[in-house]
PDB file of all heavy atoms in Angstrom:
ATOM      1  N   ASN Q  23     -55.896-144.388-102.811  1.00  0.00           N
ATOM      2  CA  ASN Q  23     -56.355-145.365-101.812  1.00  0.00           C
ATOM      3  C   ASN Q  23     -55.761-145.077-100.434  1.00  0.00           C
ATOM      4  O   ASN Q  23     -56.452-145.158 -99.420  1.00  0.00           O
ATOM      5  CB  ASN Q  23     -55.953-146.790-102.233  1.00  0.00           C
ATOM      6  CG  ASN Q  23     -56.736-147.251-103.448  1.00  0.00           C
ATOM      7  OD1 ASN Q  23     -57.805-146.691-103.749  1.00  0.00           O
ATOM      8  ND2 ASN Q  23     -56.208-148.231-104.162  1.00  0.00           N
ATOM      9  N   ALA Q  69     -32.538-132.753 -83.145  1.00  0.00           N
ATOM     10  CA  ALA Q  69     -31.300-133.523 -82.960  1.00  0.00           C
ATOM     11  C   ALA Q  69     -30.333-132.760 -82.056  1.00  0.00           C
ATOM     12  O   ALA Q  69     -29.745-133.331 -81.128  1.00  0.00           O
ATOM     13  CB  ALA Q  69     -30.651-133.812 -84.316  1.00  0.00           C
ATOM     14  N   LEU Q  97     -30.189-120.331 -83.706  1.00  0.00           N
ATOM     15  CA  LEU Q  97     -31.447-120.221 -82.963  1.00  0.00           C
ATOM     16  C   LEU Q  97     -31.308-120.786 -81.548  1.00  0.00           C
ATOM     17  O   LEU Q  97     -31.897-120.276 -80.603  1.00  0.00           O
ATOM     18  CB  LEU Q  97     -32.535-120.983 -83.729  1.00  0.00           C
ATOM     19  CG  LEU Q  97     -33.990-120.712 -83.416  1.00  0.00           C
ATOM     20  CD1 LEU Q  97     -34.343-119.258 -83.677  1.00  0.00           C
ATOM     21  CD2 LEU Q  97     -34.862-121.618 -84.270  1.00  0.00           C
ATOM     22  N   THR Q 186     -30.707-136.785 -90.088  1.00  0.00           N
ATOM     23  CA  THR Q 186     -31.971-136.064 -90.275  1.00  0.00           C
ATOM     24  C   THR Q 186     -32.317-136.048 -91.756  1.00  0.00           C
ATOM     25  O   THR Q 186     -31.434-136.164 -92.605  1.00  0.00           O
ATOM     26  CB  THR Q 186     -31.853-134.598 -89.795  1.00  0.00           C
ATOM     27  OG1 THR Q 186     -30.886-133.919 -90.609  1.00  0.00           O
ATOM     28  CG2 THR Q 186     -31.443-134.513 -88.341  1.00  0.00           C
ATOM     29  N   CYS Q 197     -43.180-135.821 -99.720  1.00  0.00           N
ATOM     30  CA  CYS Q 197     -44.599-135.995 -99.407  1.00  0.00           C
ATOM     31  C   CYS Q 197     -45.398-134.897-100.097  1.00  0.00           C
ATOM     32  O   CYS Q 197     -44.943-134.331-101.091  1.00  0.00           O
ATOM     33  CB  CYS Q 197     -44.805-136.038 -97.889  1.00  0.00           C
ATOM     34  SG  CYS Q 197     -44.307-134.556 -96.992  1.00  0.00           S
ATOM     35  N   THR Q 206     -31.634-142.654 -85.683  1.00  0.00           N
ATOM     36  CA  THR Q 206     -30.492-142.967 -84.819  1.00  0.00           C
ATOM     37  C   THR Q 206     -30.485-144.462 -84.496  1.00  0.00           C
ATOM     38  O   THR Q 206     -31.523-145.117 -84.526  1.00  0.00           O
ATOM     39  CB  THR Q 206     -30.541-142.145 -83.504  1.00  0.00           C
ATOM     40  OG1 THR Q 206     -29.372-142.437 -82.732  1.00  0.00           O
ATOM     41  CG2 THR Q 206     -31.773-142.459 -82.668  1.00  0.00           C
ATOM     42  N   GLU Q 210     -31.303-144.680 -76.289  1.00  0.00           N
ATOM     43  CA  GLU Q 210     -31.484-143.579 -75.351  1.00  0.00           C
ATOM     44  C   GLU Q 210     -31.780-142.273 -76.111  1.00  0.00           C
ATOM     45  O   GLU Q 210     -32.713-141.533 -75.776  1.00  0.00           O
ATOM     46  CB  GLU Q 210     -30.190-143.449 -74.511  1.00  0.00           C
ATOM     47  CG  GLU Q 210     -30.280-142.513 -73.336  1.00  0.00           C
ATOM     48  CD  GLU Q 210     -31.432-142.869 -72.398  1.00  0.00           C
ATOM     49  OE1 GLU Q 210     -31.619-144.077 -72.132  1.00  0.00           O
ATOM     50  OE2 GLU Q 210     -32.133-141.947 -71.962  1.00  0.00           O
ATOM     51  N   LYS Q 224     -43.136-136.815 -71.116  1.00  0.00           N
ATOM     52  CA  LYS Q 224     -42.833-138.200 -70.770  1.00  0.00           C
ATOM     53  C   LYS Q 224     -44.097-139.015 -70.944  1.00  0.00           C
ATOM     54  O   LYS Q 224     -44.111-140.090 -71.505  1.00  0.00           O
ATOM     55  CB  LYS Q 224     -42.362-138.236 -69.311  1.00  0.00           C
ATOM     56  CG  LYS Q 224     -41.852-139.567 -68.863  1.00  0.00           C
ATOM     57  CD  LYS Q 224     -41.308-139.438 -67.447  1.00  0.00           C
ATOM     58  CE  LYS Q 224     -41.830-140.596 -66.611  1.00  0.00           C
ATOM     59  NZ  LYS Q 224     -41.919-140.249 -65.201  1.00  0.00           N
ATOM     60  N   GLU Q 225     -45.184-138.496 -70.393  1.00  0.00           N
ATOM     61  CA  GLU Q 225     -46.513-139.025 -70.677  1.00  0.00           C
ATOM     62  C   GLU Q 225     -47.445-137.827 -70.798  1.00  0.00           C
ATOM     63  O   GLU Q 225     -47.022-136.700 -70.537  1.00  0.00           O
ATOM     64  CB  GLU Q 225     -46.960-139.980 -69.570  1.00  0.00           C
ATOM     65  CG  GLU Q 225     -46.835-139.376 -68.195  1.00  0.00           C
ATOM     66  CD  GLU Q 225     -46.952-140.412 -67.098  1.00  0.00           C
ATOM     67  OE1 GLU Q 225     -48.081-140.638 -66.665  1.00  0.00           O
ATOM     68  OE2 GLU Q 225     -45.919-140.987 -66.677  1.00  0.00           O
ATOM     69  N   LEU Q 250     -42.210-144.652-100.872  1.00  0.00           N
ATOM     70  CA  LEU Q 250     -40.997-145.370-100.456  1.00  0.00           C
ATOM     71  C   LEU Q 250     -40.817-146.651-101.277  1.00  0.00           C
ATOM     72  O   LEU Q 250     -39.698-147.036-101.619  1.00  0.00           O
ATOM     73  CB  LEU Q 250     -41.063-145.691 -98.955  1.00  0.00           C
ATOM     74  CG  LEU Q 250     -39.885-146.471 -98.362  1.00  0.00           C
ATOM     75  CD1 LEU Q 250     -38.559-145.711 -98.553  1.00  0.00           C
ATOM     76  CD2 LEU Q 250     -40.096-146.768 -96.873  1.00  0.00           C
ATOM     77  N   SER Q 255     -36.592-147.408-107.709  1.00  0.00           N
ATOM     78  CA  SER Q 255     -36.761-147.191-109.148  1.00  0.00           C
ATOM     79  C   SER Q 255     -36.624-145.704-109.477  1.00  0.00           C
ATOM     80  O   SER Q 255     -36.116-145.333-110.535  1.00  0.00           O
ATOM     81  CB  SER Q 255     -38.094-147.761-109.635  1.00  0.00           C
ATOM     82  OG  SER Q 255     -39.149-146.921-109.260  1.00  0.00           O
ATOM     83  N   GLU Q 257     -34.594-143.704-107.933  1.00  0.00           N
ATOM     84  CA  GLU Q 257     -33.143-143.448-107.910  1.00  0.00           C
ATOM     85  C   GLU Q 257     -32.503-143.927-109.217  1.00  0.00           C
ATOM     86  O   GLU Q 257     -31.632-143.259-109.779  1.00  0.00           O
ATOM     87  CB  GLU Q 257     -32.505-144.147-106.704  1.00  0.00           C
ATOM     88  CG  GLU Q 257     -31.031-143.836-106.570  1.00  0.00           C
ATOM     89  CD  GLU Q 257     -30.311-144.741-105.575  1.00  0.00           C
ATOM     90  OE1 GLU Q 257     -30.876-145.045-104.515  1.00  0.00           O
ATOM     91  OE2 GLU Q 257     -29.174-145.131-105.881  1.00  0.00           O
ATOM     92  N   ARG Q 260     -33.111-141.390-111.909  1.00  0.00           N
ATOM     93  CA  ARG Q 260     -32.246-140.215-111.760  1.00  0.00           C
ATOM     94  C   ARG Q 260     -30.834-140.534-112.255  1.00  0.00           C
ATOM     95  O   ARG Q 260     -30.191-139.716-112.909  1.00  0.00           O
ATOM     96  CB  ARG Q 260     -32.198-139.770-110.287  1.00  0.00           C
ATOM     97  CG  ARG Q 260     -33.474-139.122-109.800  1.00  0.00           C
ATOM     98  CD  ARG Q 260     -33.412-138.858-108.298  1.00  0.00           C
ATOM     99  NE  ARG Q 260     -34.615-138.188-107.816  1.00  0.00           N
ATOM    100  CZ  ARG Q 260     -34.812-136.883-107.855  1.00  0.00           C
ATOM    101  NH1 ARG Q 260     -33.873-136.068-108.284  1.00  0.00           N
ATOM    102  NH2 ARG Q 260     -35.948-136.359-107.423  1.00  0.00           N
ATOM    103  N   ALA Q 263     -30.702-140.584-116.042  1.00  0.00           N
ATOM    104  CA  ALA Q 263     -30.668-139.223-116.596  1.00  0.00           C
ATOM    105  C   ALA Q 263     -29.268-138.626-116.436  1.00  0.00           C
ATOM    106  O   ALA Q 263     -28.741-137.982-117.355  1.00  0.00           O
ATOM    107  CB  ALA Q 263     -31.707-138.350-115.897  1.00  0.00           C
ATOM    108  N   GLU Q 359     -39.007-138.398-114.084  1.00  0.00           N
ATOM    109  CA  GLU Q 359     -39.757-138.465-115.341  1.00  0.00           C
ATOM    110  C   GLU Q 359     -38.934-137.977-116.528  1.00  0.00           C
ATOM    111  O   GLU Q 359     -39.474-137.647-117.577  1.00  0.00           O
ATOM    112  CB  GLU Q 359     -41.046-137.636-115.226  1.00  0.00           C
ATOM    113  CG  GLU Q 359     -41.858-137.923-113.976  1.00  0.00           C
ATOM    114  CD  GLU Q 359     -42.186-139.396-113.793  1.00  0.00           C
ATOM    115  OE1 GLU Q 359     -42.692-140.002-114.753  1.00  0.00           O
ATOM    116  OE2 GLU Q 359     -41.903-139.932-112.699  1.00  0.00           O
TER     117      GLU Q 359
END
Side-chain angles (χ1 to χ4, degrees):
N23 291 340
L97 197 60
T186 64
C197 61
T206 183
E210 190 55 42
K224 187 175 134 207
E225 52 194 270
L250 179 59
S255 76
E257 184 192 320
R260 288 173 178 276
E359 311 306 309

